[in-house]
Amino acid sequence: MEEVKEGIEKICEEVEMVVQRLQEVVEFVSRTKAAYQGRDVRLKDVLMTLKVLYEREVDEMRFEGLLDQALLHVQDEFEELLLRMKH
């Protein structure tokens, strides 16, 4: 379980770094006028959408998603086995 939790944390860190780098790129493109105004606005919109999606998915993955449900199921089964072993 710890390995799964560590894996999720590592994924979150890496995705967070990618989003941060994308933000830096969008800011650079905006400052240098490398893209025309319409594309600049679309890049910013896409970046914001990506950030919101990432944050929502991370929260679901940690607390509400299939992984959490599976871990709760495994925990229940483990506790049941421990109870049987005590008797």
Side-chain angles (χ1 to χ4, degrees):
M1 296 239 212
E2 275 302 310
E3 290 178 18
V4 171
K5 184 178 177 184
E6 289 172 8
I8 290 172
E9 292 300 320
K10 185 172 177 137
I11 289 169
C12 293
E13 289 172 12
E14 290 178 11
V15 172
E16 198 169 305
M17 283 180 18
V18 168
V19 170
Q20 188 175 23
R21 292 239 168 94
L22 285 172
Q23 184 172 357
E24 292 169 5
V25 168
V26 169
E27 288 172 6
F28 174 78
V29 167
S30 296
R31 281 194 316 265
T32 59
K33 308 289 187 209
Y36 66 90
Q37 185 68 25
R39 180 162 288 161
D40 183 34
V41 171
R42 285 196 330 231
L43 284 172
K44 288 179 182 178
D45 289 345
V46 168
L47 179 62
M48 289 305 297
T49 302
L50 179 62
K51 281 179 163 180
V52 169
L53 181 62
Y54 158 71
E55 290 168 1
R56 183 176 36 184
E57 290 298 317
V58 166
D59 285 344
E60 285 183 15
M61 186 169 46
R62 285 185 179 150
F63 305 112
E64 300 171 5
L66 292 175
L67 178 61
D68 188 55
Q69 291 174 5
L71 290 175
L72 288 173
H73 182 72
V74 168
Q75 180 180 349
D76 291 344
E77 287 188 13
F78 184 70
E79 289 172 356
E80 186 178 317
L81 285 171
L82 286 176
L83 284 174
R84 280 192 228 160
M85 290 174 69
K86 284 183 181 179
H87 297 294

